[in-house]
Amino acid sequence: MSDRWYEKAVVYCLDIDSFADSDGDGCGDIRGLIGRLDYLARLGVTCLWLNPIHPSPGLDDGYDASDFYNVDPRFGNLGDFAELLHQAGNRGIKVIIDLVVNHTSDQHPWFQSARSSPDSPYRDWYVWSETAPADRNQGMVFPGEQDETWSYDRTAKLWFYHRFYKFQPDLNIKNPEVREEIKKICSFWLQLGVAGFRMDAVPFIIEETEPGNPNSPKDMEFLSELRQHVQWRKGDAVLLAEANVEPDQLTKFFGDDGGSGNRIHMLFDFMLNAKLVLGLAREDPEQIIDALRDTPKLPAGGQWATFIRNHDEIDLSRLTAEQRKDVFDKFGPDENMQLYGRGIRRRLAPMLGNDRRWLELAYSLQFSLRGTPVLRYGEEIGMGDDLSLNGRDAIRTPMQWSLLPNGGFSNADPSKIGRPVISGGEYGFEKVNVTQQRHDTKSLLSWFERMIRTLRETPEVGGGTCTHVDVPVPRGVLVHRADDANGSMVFVHNLGNKAGVVDLSSLAGEAEFPNDVLADQEYPEPGKLDAIQVEGHGYRWIRLRRTV
Ligand code: NOJ
């Protein structure tokens, strides 16, 4: 039985600046987060993923670091961070942080020095070209907000490469000093006590950029090198990578060293994410089944991180044009809800019309599918979005804690709060907040607590295999199962809104005492599993057998 902690983790992703403000300056901070750890422990999360914590000009919400060895002074100091790690640890919660080393901010002293003189020791830490590269208008990640990937720097009198925004020059991975520095950054934070890293933009970190070549080679070996280093410093540290690449490229990122992965431990499952959202839009699980079937076999220790919402747009670029259109039509019909021509900048509750049954169905499905579930802060109370804000800021509004001013997020004057708290209407803090839901056993928050607790008693999800069960079902219904040495579970999810009956008799032989451990409502005992009911947007988690 595997004891890899990340296979059984429940990951909660949050941005310190939008979570809880302890000192009334309008910006969330580490002490505010420490004050909310009991809330997170009660919810049942076991691992926090913190969006960037480093000092930064803040032009890309911290994904433009200007110092990798400190925390943003708006959040507190390193002492506060050490205290956070200690307090989280006391509650059995691990902390991983965003490691954003594809690029730095252009304000980073390394870049400032690099651009200032050809003799700078940092000159070769970035990627330059003397002439305008022919591919300078290709490969932009933020079309509409970004025109090019190479820009001219007047100080250096050279072109520099930036896969993302112009203020995020790429580091040069070919330079051994850069490679060493990335390892040093990891060592530093591991030494402080983080449990690992969410690695930003991994396919671009390892890009050995050649001016004029839009398909520059990738140095996969750097990932093996980094893994070895990280593992040596902290045996159970985890690398969780953002690598939104073609499916046939995925296994390279896990690495395969005679059967056990030697590169990244966990990858976000972008394909399943898009297909999950497509399944919800079409009320048809067909594409989810395809995703389960088509993804490559992972090496031992390799794990998917499964999510519906994160801090970015829902990326639909891996869907066909027709599939994407179906999702846009259903969940993002207004242009203002869409982003970069490929995604949706909304939270799930508004996408699903705040339909409680549909929301439960969606999250029950996400959490019971393969891999480690990742939950974005605020989803557990059904927060909404603010489409009047720019781009991805729409889904980055402050956490809604209570009926207090600013939703209990901060006691600052509202004009001092960067992204305003959502107020008024269906999703305002007056209607959607933690305090009210905490007192209501029927609230979405209470449901999440129950669901997560149940998941944690179901180690075969995450730790075991996840397969589609091919039994006759009414349209809209997905049956899948999870198995490992602990036992077996079967899950029935009705993506459609009409009740149906599912024949699970083919599983009867292996069911010792089938029972619902979680369901959208009370159902008659599953008995011999001959024909079981499931309501429209209903779900049932049925334990077949438990060995220990
Ligand atoms: C991916 C992150 O998720 C996104 O928020 C960020 O803008 C880019 N990487 C650049 O770091």
Side-chain angles (χ1 to χ4, degrees), residues 15-18 23 25 27-31 50-81 97-98 105 188-189 192 419:
D15 202 342
I16 290 180
D17 70 6
S18 332
D23 59 6
D25 66 354
C27 178
D29 47 48
I30 297 171
R31 299 216 71 81
L50 303 180
N51 288 137
I53 58 171
H54 305 310
S56 153
L59 298 179
D60 184 12
D61 214 9
Y63 285 92
D64 47 337
S66 53
D67 177 2
F68 291 106
Y69 295 103
N70 216 329
V71 292
D72 190 320
R74 295 176 311 140
F75 300 166
N77 58 33
L78 282 175
D80 297 319
F81 189 73
I97 59 169
D98 241 298
S105 158
F188 176 80
W189 294 99
L192 265 185
R419 286 183 290 265

